[in-house]
Amino acid sequence: MDLELAPRYVEFREECRSWLDANNPGAIASMDTAAGFEEHRRWERVLFDGGWSVPGWPAAYGGRDCDLIEWLIYEEEYWLSGVPGRVSANGVSLLAPTIFNFGTPEQQDFFLPRMASGEHIWAQGWSEPEAGSDLAGIKTKAIRDGDHYVLNGQKTWCSRGAFADWIFCLVRTDPDAERHAGLTYLLVPADAPGMERRPIGRLDGEPGFAEIFFDDCRVSTDHVLGEEGQGWAVAMAAAGSERGLNLRSPGRFMAAAERLTDLVRDLQAQGRAVDVRLRDEVTDAWIRAQAYRWQTYMIAAKLMDGAEIGSEASLMKVFWSEMDLELHATALRLLGEHGEITDGNDWLDGYVFALSGPIYAGTNEIQRNIIAERVLGLPRR
Amino acid sequence: MQFTFTDEQDMFRDTVRELFADLCPPEAVRASWDNDDGRVPGLWSALGDMGVLSVLAPESAGGLGMDEVDLVRILEEAGYAGVPDPLMEHAAIAVPALAEAGSPHLAAALTGETTCTVALRGGAAVGAAGADLVLVEQGDALLAATAWRMTPRTSIDQSRRLATILELDEREELVGADAALAFDRAALGTAAQCVGVARRLLDATVEYVGERHQFGKPVGSYQAVKHHLANVRLAVEFAAPLVYRAAWSVAHPESHDAVTRGRDVSMAKAMAADAVDLACRQALQCHGAIGYTFEYDLQLWLKRGWALAAAHGDSRSHRDRVADALGI
């Protein structure tokens, strides 16, 4: 065990911090508005030009070959610096690991650099009206016709789906197969003929996600990721990323916990009393962010040692999503009756976003079933 | 940055785990309740022979010269086995304090010839009736006494032979030892035991609900039970890294001042105490009536969990200390 940062990591942290400080564009519009989406795309380009959009990727695809520790440091600095969030997260965090694992060289050369630069912003097209937590219930059909598939069906709850350039989908290429069989992982351009999308207003009214309709939509067979019929296995590789390390690094929550303690100090400076229970809740949130951080460093050490994380990712997903929600709920309790006022209230935005955490990427009820059955070994039935 | 244990650390932990499994099964814990000294016969000398008692003493003083990172995993195993002997008090608090003070009492403590316990912040001492030396906090100083008067106190956990120390008859100040550090070591060691107790409760309950059938299927197949136990696993999973992280802070004073060390220890104790509290609740609930009986062994860890969650500061008092360190 060695919990000190080697000098090269300390230098790396300094490098991250000074670049982010020098290039921070300040507050920009929500990524879930048409204008804000493009502003966020421009920020992706700034990151890319500085070499900081995908630091963990190989240099050949726009990254800087960071190891996991460097990536975690980068994430800590990223969120502490207060720069805008990542409109590219679906692609960079969820799809990219799958392209690295399963993509052909042609797919990797085409998609990865465009994802890194923000030219392609991705949305996820997995859920359907009848297939949410029960993802294997997917019905959208993709029937082969020469060198194309013909898609018919509907996807929903596609985060960033209203404005994204590409959508990574799970579709049923074998209509006679059931459940996990006969599914294929397909990359669909948002301008494909026969595709229509309708934004869905989330709780705060912004088009945070979309539903997508396929009506004889034609997509090239070149855009299959992995093999036809192997979509479930290919998709689950990304599900591990989503629930585990990639989507929610500790830096995000550590920064939020720091801001929460700042909020307490601000209120105290204004002469507002913070009662002992709220102080206790704030401290608990700060401790949990640290627990998530050190658990992540333990997992990083295992990954760097060649191990893989499997069902343990469900532990991470439940923990961060509930920690994030509690943290933001605590902030609103601190604000009291001012909490409902939307003007400049980042905590309210954060709360609305955090409310979705226990639902997306597999509800926490499903995650707890996975923990019980696959981590603890309790009987399925 | 490498947050992992070495193969040697794993092997040491595994060896001690096997020793506890051999010498300290539940029957031995129960038998200790009726012993004069409340101890498991043969365990202390075996721990001395293996070097477990001397982990925190430097090699120059006859110890193993290891640190808290090594010791917390041993204490986790002591919690898992339900060891009644005052191992944490002796090995995690007294031995390093005696070593730091250059005390002549150190040598006999390392081999297990003697047993030490502690009374910190006015709390009761564990195993004082069978101890040869008791360390008592007085202001910033630590006193070591070889003769004292005390009032026995009965714990709900019969393995914890408590006593309130009244007066020290034969005593000396441990010059060079630090009472604040002793408290942090106590809180850290207790946190490690809490994690071990919680793991034992979880393992025992997973086993039980896998076997117990109602309505024609294992009760562990019901989602309500699954979610209770998933929550326990979550609590333990995220408490343990904070315990190891705090052990690192205590072991590295050159890079961790007293405030940082105290903050890290308090984070660990707060999360570990809450984890074992939850483990106790859910273990009992998922066992049902059988878990509520004196005969069934679950009570060994339930009562240890209740005691250790509050020992050397409960979760709220430790969060309070973290809040102070954060300046809120």
Side-chain angles (χ1 to χ4, degrees):
Chain A
M1 185 179 297
D2 180 1
L3 302 188
E4 308 299 331
L5 282 182
R8 73 180 179 94
Y9 289 127
V10 176
E11 285 167 27
F12 179 82
R13 186 187 287 284
E14 285 303 320
E15 192 185 349
C16 287
R17 183 174 298 178
S18 58
W19 189 90
L20 288 162
D21 284 348
N23 292 276
N24 189 345
I28 59 177
S30 161
M31 70 175 75
D32 291 320
T33 61
F37 190 87
E38 291 309 317
E39 283 186 62
H40 278 80
R41 189 199 295 276
R42 282 193 288 279
W43 168 239
E44 292 292 330
R45 182 73 205 197
V46 172
L47 285 167
F48 178 72
D49 289 341
W52 291 106
S53 72
V54 285
W57 291 13
Y61 298 114
R64 51 173 71 208
D65 293 296
C66 283
D67 66 24
L68 258 180
I69 301 299
E70 288 171 321
W71 180 74
L72 289 168
I73 293 169
Y74 159 79
E75 286 280 312
E76 288 178 13
E77 292 302 320
Y78 188 94
W79 294 104
L80 270 177
S81 72
V83 297
R86 300 297 301 272
V87 70
S88 64
N90 284 322
V92 170
S93 303
L94 307 184
L95 172 61
T98 315
I99 293 184
F100 278 114
N101 279 341
F102 296 95
T104 63
E106 293 75 23
Q107 287 173 329
Q108 291 177 347
D109 291 345
F110 179 75
F111 287 116
L112 292 172
R114 287 169 177 80
M115 188 190 301
S117 68
E119 183 183 340
H120 290 174
I121 305 291
W122 287 83
Q124 186 186 48
W126 288 13
S127 293
E128 297 184 0
E130 300 303 324
S133 289
D134 185 10
L135 189 60
I138 281 171
K139 290 185 183 139
T140 295
K141 287 191 179 62
I143 304 303
R144 185 108 181 218
D145 177 22
D147 57 0
H148 279 72
Y149 290 102
V150 179
L151 275 61
N152 282 285
Q154 181 187 352
K155 293 291 178 184
T156 192
W157 317 130
C158 307
S159 297
R160 311 286 99 72
F163 310 111
D165 308 290
W166 282 76
I167 299 139
F168 54 100
C169 294
L170 269 180
V171 293
R172 196 164 286 289
T173 42
D174 180 354
D176 297 327
E178 289 188 354
R179 305 290 298 163
H180 308 87
L183 296 174
T184 295
Y185 199 121
L186 192 62
L187 308 177
V188 180
D191 59 0
M195 187 181 122
E196 188 194 341
R197 49 184 169 173
R198 295 181 199 154
I200 304 173
R202 60 177 189 201
L203 270 183
D204 60 5
E206 288 182 359
F209 38 31
E211 51 189 345
I212 294 174
F213 300 89
F214 300 109
D215 182 10
D216 287 335
C217 171
R218 295 179 70 81
V219 177
S220 167
T221 53
D222 290 344
H223 295 334
V224 170
L225 197 49
E227 287 177 33
E228 182 180 295
Q230 296 298 309
W232 186 263
V234 175
M236 284 307 107
S241 308
E242 183 175 15
R243 291 171 195 157
L245 282 187
N246 283 339
L247 186 63
R248 294 290 176 258
S249 69
R252 185 187 188 101
F253 308 112
M254 290 162 61
E258 288 299 332
R259 283 197 288 277
L260 190 62
T261 61
D262 290 343
L263 176 61
V264 172
R265 282 186 286 265
D266 288 348
L267 292 173
Q268 287 167 335
Q270 294 163 25
R272 302 246 310 263
V274 173
D275 82 41
V276 291
R277 276 183 306 178
L278 275 171
R279 183 175 181 261
D280 192 57
E281 287 174 22
V282 168
T283 311
D284 190 50
W286 198 87
I287 293 171
R288 283 173 188 278
Q290 290 293 316
Y292 187 67
R293 174 196 202 189
W294 291 109
Q295 173 68 350
T296 301
Y297 275 108
M298 288 196 83
I299 289 178
K302 286 179 194 155
L303 291 172
M304 289 167 87
D305 214 28
E308 290 182 6
I309 57 167
S311 318
E312 294 87 351
S314 293
L315 289 158
M316 303 293 276
K317 197 265 165 170
V318 172
F319 191 84
W320 66 247
S321 58
E322 295 180 0
M323 161 178 69
D324 196 33
L325 185 52
E326 269 317 303
L327 192 155
H328 284 87
T330 299
L332 292 185
R333 283 193 284 272
L334 278 166
L335 292 171
E337 63 187 10
H338 302 283
E340 71 170 299
I341 297 168
T342 59
D343 304 335
N345 188 351
D346 291 342
W347 289 111
L348 198 53
D349 289 342
Y351 180 67
V352 170
F353 183 69
L355 280 169
S356 64
I359 300 170
Y360 66 75
T363 63
N364 285 11
E365 286 71 24
I366 297 295
Q367 305 300 344
R368 284 186 163 86
N369 289 353
I370 293 172
I371 294 166
E373 290 164 13
R374 300 191 206 152
V375 180
L376 297 178
L378 290 174
R380 276 181 65 87
R381 49 177 57 89
Chain B
M1 174 63 68
Q2 196 177 29
F3 199 179
T4 181
F5 295 95
T6 63
D7 291 345
E8 290 74 21
Q9 285 170 322
D10 285 344
M11 276 169 51
F12 188 44
R13 190 264 319 262
D14 292 346
T15 309
V16 178
R17 174 188 287 171
E18 285 163 24
L19 178 79
F20 288 152
D22 284 347
L23 294 184
C24 192
E27 312 84 75
V29 176
R30 282 180 185 268
S32 77
W33 299 345
D34 300 320
N35 293 350
D36 288 342
D37 59 1
R39 310 287 288 273
V40 172
L43 182 60
W44 202 249
S45 58
L47 290 170
D49 292 346
M50 207 178 263
V52 172
L53 302 180
S54 69
V55 164
L56 293 190
E59 286 179 270
S60 58
L64 289 189
M66 290 160 38
D67 65 28
E68 280 81 0
V69 173
D70 303 281
L71 189 62
V72 287
R73 297 179 88 212
I74 303 296
L75 295 173
E76 209 176 307
E77 293 304 322
Y80 192 89
V83 171
D85 298 63
L87 175 62
M88 193 283 284
E89 292 75 8
H90 181 99
I93 311 169
V95 161
L98 294 173
E100 282 150 10
S103 166
H105 296 298
L106 179 64
L110 297 186
T111 59
E113 190 183 324
T114 59
T115 300
C116 309
T117 188
V118 301
L120 300 177
R121 309 215 165 164
V126 178
D132 306 284
L133 193 76
V134 63
L135 269 56
V136 178
E137 198 174 2
Q138 192 174 70
D140 296 335
L142 276 181
L143 308 179
T146 51
W148 61 88
R149 274 167 277 175
M150 62 186 178
T151 305
R153 308 295 300 271
T154 304
S155 168
I156 188 166
D157 177 1
Q158 285 165 276
S159 296
R160 287 168 63 84
R161 301 277 184 102
L162 300 180
T164 303
I165 307 297
L166 300 174
E167 215 164 319
L168 306 181
D169 294 328
E170 299 288 335
R171 66 179 192 190
E172 66 192 36
E173 183 178 341
L174 293 177
V175 178
D178 175 350
L181 177 56
F183 176 77
D184 281 340
R185 283 178 171 142
L188 172 66
T190 307
Q193 290 175 292
C194 285
V195 168
V197 172
R199 287 195 205 279
R200 180 63 173 252
L201 286 163
L202 181 58
D203 285 356
T205 310
V206 165
E207 190 182 341
Y208 180 78
V209 301
E211 291 166 358
R212 167 78 173 166
H213 280 62
Q214 286 288 273
F215 304 103
K217 54 182 193 170
V219 296
S221 66
Y222 292 101
Q223 200 171 39
V225 173
K226 283 179 177 168
H227 287 195
H228 282 328
L229 298 182
N231 287 338
V232 175
R233 177 62 190 239
L234 277 160
V236 176
E237 190 80 7
F238 287 89
L242 284 182
V243 173
Y244 308 145
R245 198 273 171 274
W248 175 266
S249 297
V250 175
H252 292 272
E254 72 285 357
S255 49
H256 297 82
D257 63 23
V259 172
T260 307
R261 179 192 77 211
R263 182 200 67 188
D264 290 352
V265 165
S266 283
M267 289 200 289
K269 180 71 206 305
M271 287 285 280
D274 283 348
V276 79
D277 258 343
L278 184 70
C280 287
R281 287 269 189 101
Q282 303 302 19
L284 178 55
Q285 184 65 25
C286 294
H287 272 81
I290 188 76
Y292 195 72
T293 62
F294 195 82
E295 282 70 28
Y296 198 74
D297 284 336
L298 193 72
Q299 62 130 327
L300 273 56
W301 289 276
L302 290 177
K303 292 170 178 175
R304 190 68 54 86
W306 299 335
L308 293 179
H312 303 291
D314 65 5
S315 63
R316 272 177 190 272
S317 72
H318 280 287
R319 277 196 296 274
D320 200 43
R321 199 161 69 132
V322 175
D324 288 342
L326 293 175
I328 60 169

